[in-house]
Amino acid sequence: MRPAALPGLRWLEQFRADLAELTKDGPKTQVASLRFKKVMAKVGSSVAFGVREIVVDVLSEAAKKAIWGN
């Protein structure tokens, strides 16, 4: 499911860019985490859980806290 605000494949490009931002602590990390959370809310719990299991090891600590509050 793609977010309605981003037509075509632009949402996928943005998602990839957000994942790259979430691997480092920078000024764009907070915004990227908000967009990541919004996409994960739309894809369903099983997909979101699978994505979390994959990316949790590469995300920065700031991103993890912003997304999951741990």
Side-chain angles (χ1 to χ4, degrees):
M1 174 182 276
R2 67 181 166 98
L6 297 172
L9 291 179
R10 184 169 172 248
W11 74 272
L12 184 57
E13 293 168 3
Q14 184 64 60
F15 187 73
R16 288 178 180 164
D18 289 342
L19 283 176
E21 286 300 324
L22 293 172
T23 62
K24 55 191 173 196
D25 288 330
K28 297 180 182 178
T29 303
Q30 189 68 28
V31 174
S33 68
L34 293 173
R35 283 194 298 255
F36 182 85
K37 285 171 61 172
K38 187 182 280 189
V39 170
M40 290 299 101
K42 291 182 179 189
V43 296
S45 61
S46 60
V47 173
F49 178 78
V51 171
R52 178 184 176 159
E53 291 297 307
I54 293 168
V55 301
V56 73
D57 292 331
V58 297
L59 297 181
S60 70
E61 289 302 316
K64 289 178 196 178
K65 289 179 184 176
I67 296 168
W68 295 295
N70 295 355

